[in-house]
Amino acid sequence: MVKKQLIMEKSLELFAESGFEATSIQQITERCGISKGAFYLHFKSKDELIYSLIDKFMSEFIADIERSVSEDKPKEELLYNFLYTTFGEFQQQANFAKVFLKEQVLSFNKELFERFHMYTTIINKIIFSVVQRQFKDVNLNMQLDLLFTINGLSKGYGELFLIDNYNVDLDKLCKAIVEKVTIIAEHATIQFITPDYFASTNQHMNITKEQIVDLMIEVMGEVEQDSIVHESLVLLRNHLIEPTLSDVLIEGLLKNIRSSSQCKWIAYLYQIQLEQKK
Amino acid sequence: MVKKQLIMEKSLELFAESGFEATSIQQITERCGISKGAFYLHFKSKDELIYSLIDKFMSEFIADIERSVSEDKPKEELLYNFLYTTFGEFQQQANFAKVFLKEQVLSFNKELFERFHMYTTIINKIIFSVVQRQFKDVNLNMQLDLLFTINGLSKGYGELFLIDNYNVDLDKLCKAIVEKVTIIAEHATIQFITPDYFASTNQHMNITKEQIVDLMIEVMGEVEQDSIVHESLVLLRNHLIEPTLSDVLIEGLLKNIRSSSQCKWIAYLYQIQLEQKK
DNA sequence: TATAATAATGACTAATTGGTCAGTTGTCAA
DNA sequence: TTGACAACTGACCAATTAGTCATTATTATA
């Protein structure tokens, strides 16, 4: 399994240097010092490699920021914590950050696009929960504007990290952004974003039950037999084909599989599917 | 010449759909209903096509925003004008905007990257001149932070334009951003950006005199003989090989060639070259 | 040491790429 | 009608791509 790690590391380097599409499997195997065949022992395709990379890094990243803004943290430090963790990760995983930034803006591969969409949706939800707690006196629509403001400022200042060797004082950067957001929360009056925006972002997911079942069967082959994750997948699959279980049971099963990074994606699609059914 | 137009339009469509690298010349010629050979009558290579597209759209775009924030405009409307023109163009040239956003973030092709770098530098200079005029009481370092704030908010809210069919009230959007920037200009105290950042952004240009001369000779072949642009190019080229003219004369000649969209890029490189010499 | 199982190889395929160029077509003026 | 010139064509080329698979090397077990 150590070779799989090697492939992921080296390919990430190459993707950061020249982009995903422009990097060939030849190049990856050469840099790893392995043969082409060995690559396909670990990944079914080039696409699967990038999905693995994204899932691995993003689920770690999300776990980190979730921890940094958890319920027990002081309310007035939430935004600072979020930013500090985000930029810290950004700095540490510079290669992944580059790939993410590049491919995320507009990913033309549909599956890739939807994966990115999921992760940004999750992150947006986290930011919004931060806003709701730290700026709870602000009204809903302005909270949505704060979400956009935070996203925007992060992107604007985030560019500094793309300059090699430019040393950023993380603490000061985060304080500068927190100050700006706080000032806007206190003084701004024009609310631009309305909740229907969020309704519109989730609509362009059009995935069939069959596609999800296929995905589940695929992952079931990779997951340890008789584990909680595996059994949960079986039950969820059966429920999708022939609904038998109550909402609360499904909720628990989804929590079960979300503990595996390979399944986060499935859990997300599954939930959307259920919501559409209603 | 009408066929060249056709190629540029259709290829832009395709680039917006699938990205520059993923679009083949086959696809372009098919959509245009022309042969492969015909393509190469108008463009020396695939790269030259994208350079043309970028130069065409960006020089028009920059001319537009320069007009919208010119000296004669009321100081308190400058930022609004800039945003309104920017987003308006964004909406109108949705295809180009998509390509620009996608390729701009991190362009792995060196020449492409430097071209984008030039245009974003020019735009940053325009934004900064807006800030200096509209927020002239703010101190220099905070003005730099305002530049980052404007860029960030534009990026954050700009995402709304990437959702198809999402109708944006341009006027309200611009007012919402102007209000936020104004509030920050009045209340913010933490200054993060320092002028040395801008010094560092211009350093990673490493272009030789010979490369610039080659570029100039190339463009001289495409430009009308005996025109002001052509003669200016000749004089500038001679000066680069064997300096004879005074700074002020060079300044004027550069202004001459900047009137041609094909030469903006050359003028930019030329100026950097001269600055490095000193 | 012999056997079975697993890991790894790299020549191979079929498809696609950007780019070329000998040849065809269309359009003028003479 | 002729001939000159430009516009245009598409078969062709060498290089590269993702992915396959018969073969070989390595390791573990008996």
Side-chain angles (χ1 to χ4, degrees), chain A residues 16-19 102 105-106 108 145 152 155 157 159-160 163 172-173 179-180 183 189-192 197, chain B residues 16-19 102 105-106 108 145 152 155 157 159-160 163 172-173 179-180 183 189-191 197:
Chain A
E17 285 166 24
S18 343
K102 166 77 177 172
V105 182
L106 275 176
F108 299 113
D145 267 79
K155 277 179 199 170
Y157 284 96
E159 265 185 16
L160 293 170
I163 306 167
K172 196 177 176 190
L173 171 60
E179 188 198 45
K180 290 187 178 65
I183 292 170
T189 61
I190 305 174
Q191 300 156 18
F192 184 75
Y197 161 74
Chain B
E17 285 165 24
S18 344
K102 166 77 177 172
V105 184
L106 275 178
F108 298 113
D145 267 80
K155 276 179 199 168
Y157 284 95
E159 263 183 18
L160 293 170
I163 306 166
K172 196 177 177 190
L173 170 60
E179 187 197 46
K180 290 186 178 67
I183 291 170
T189 61
I190 305 174
Q191 299 155 19
Y197 162 74

Side-chain angles (χ1 to χ4, degrees), chain B residues 102 153 171 239:
Chain B
K102 166 77 177 172
L153 291 175
D171 173 65
H239 177 80

Side-chain angles (χ1 to χ4, degrees), chain B residues 17-180:
Chain B
E17 285 165 24
S18 344
F20 173 65
E21 293 199 74
T23 302
S24 70
I25 291 177
Q26 287 267 18
Q27 287 171 277
I28 296 171
T29 54
E30 266 168 33
R31 185 164 295 196
C32 291
I34 61 170
S35 69
K36 226 172 176 192
F39 175 89
Y40 284 96
L41 289 176
H42 297 98
F43 297 96
K44 272 213 274 300
S45 67
K46 200 184 162 188
D47 279 347
E48 217 205 56
L49 166 62
I50 196 146
Y51 299 152
S52 300
L53 281 170
I54 292 165
D55 286 344
K56 176 173 177 286
F57 281 91
M58 287 311 285
S59 51
E60 273 175 32
F61 172 59
I62 285 172
D64 271 3
I65 57 174
E66 268 174 347
R67 215 175 302 125
S68 76
V69 300
S70 59
E71 293 298 335
D72 56 307
K73 298 287 189 300
K75 299 240 176 301
E76 65 281 4
E77 290 173 15
L78 290 174
L79 180 56
Y80 177 89
N81 289 350
F82 167 79
L83 293 169
Y84 196 91
T85 311
T86 301
F87 288 133
E89 205 86 5
F90 218 90
Q91 233 172 11
Q92 246 171 57
Q93 307 290 349
N95 277 341
F96 179 74
K98 277 181 193 171
V99 176
F100 182 75
L101 272 186
K102 166 77 177 172
E103 307 293 339
Q104 177 241 28
V105 184
L106 275 178
S107 209
F108 298 113
N109 171 325
K110 211 192 159 215
E111 174 142 9
L112 206 57
F113 174 82
E114 280 170 357
R115 258 190 161 74
F116 278 126
H117 184 81
M118 170 189 78
Y119 287 118
T120 45
T121 304
I122 293 175
I123 293 170
N124 272 338
K125 280 184 183 156
I126 295 174
I127 301 178
F128 193 61
S129 88
V130 165
V131 170
Q132 284 184 306
R133 286 179 284 157
Q134 185 159 351
F135 305 103
K136 58 178 174 298
D137 297 332
V138 173
N139 78 55
L140 177 69
N141 278 12
M142 189 52 85
Q143 283 179 340
L144 290 174
D145 267 80
L146 287 184
L147 169 61
F148 272 72
T149 304
I150 293 166
N151 261 327
L153 291 175
S154 302
K155 276 179 199 168
Y157 284 95
E159 263 183 18
L160 293 170
F161 294 96
L162 295 179
I163 306 166
D164 297 325
N165 307 322
Y166 191 75
N167 236 337
V168 177
D169 177 349
L170 270 192
D171 173 65
K172 196 177 177 190
L173 170 60
C174 296
K175 278 180 182 156
I177 296 178
V178 169
E179 187 197 46
K180 290 186 178 67

Side-chain angles (χ1 to χ4, degrees), chain A residues 16-195:
Chain A
E17 285 166 24
S18 343
F20 173 65
E21 294 199 73
T23 302
S24 70
I25 290 175
Q26 286 267 19
Q27 287 171 278
I28 295 172
T29 55
E30 267 167 31
R31 185 163 297 194
C32 292
I34 61 170
S35 70
K36 225 171 177 195
F39 175 90
Y40 284 96
L41 289 176
H42 297 97
F43 297 96
K44 271 213 274 304
S45 68
K46 201 184 162 187
D47 278 347
E48 217 204 57
L49 166 61
I50 196 144
Y51 300 152
S52 300
L53 282 171
I54 292 165
D55 286 344
K56 175 173 177 286
F57 281 91
M58 288 309 287
S59 50
E60 275 175 31
F61 173 60
I62 286 173
D64 272 3
I65 57 174
E66 267 174 346
R67 214 174 302 126
S68 76
V69 299
S70 58
E71 292 299 335
D72 56 307
K73 298 285 188 301
K75 297 239 178 301
E76 63 281 5
E77 289 171 16
L78 292 174
L79 181 55
Y80 176 89
N81 289 350
F82 168 80
L83 293 169
Y84 196 91
T85 311
T86 302
F87 288 133
E89 205 87 4
F90 217 90
Q91 231 172 14
Q92 243 172 59
Q93 307 290 348
N95 278 340
F96 179 74
K98 278 181 192 171
V99 176
F100 181 75
L101 271 186
K102 166 77 177 172
E103 308 293 340
Q104 176 239 26
V105 182
L106 275 176
S107 210
F108 299 113
N109 171 326
K110 211 191 159 217
E111 174 141 8
L112 207 56
F113 174 82
E114 279 170 357
R115 258 190 162 75
F116 277 125
H117 183 81
M118 169 188 80
Y119 287 118
T120 44
T121 304
I122 293 175
I123 293 171
N124 273 338
K125 279 183 185 158
I126 296 174
I127 300 178
F128 193 61
S129 88
V130 165
V131 170
Q132 283 184 306
R133 286 179 283 158
Q134 185 159 352
F135 305 103
K136 59 177 173 300
D137 297 333
V138 174
N139 78 55
L140 175 69
N141 279 11
M142 188 53 84
Q143 285 179 338
L144 291 173
D145 267 79
L146 287 183
L147 169 61
F148 272 73
T149 303
I150 294 166
N151 261 327
L153 291 175
S154 302
K155 277 179 199 170
Y157 284 96
E159 265 185 16
L160 293 170
F161 294 95
L162 295 179
I163 306 167
D164 297 326
N165 307 320
Y166 190 76
N167 237 337
V168 178
D169 177 349
L170 270 192
D171 173 64
K172 196 177 176 190
L173 171 60
C174 296
K175 280 181 181 154
I177 297 179
V178 169
E179 188 198 45
K180 290 187 178 65
V181 175
T182 309
I183 292 170
I184 288 175
E186 283 167 5
H187 295 89
T189 61
I190 305 174
Q191 300 156 18
F192 184 75
I193 309 293
T194 50

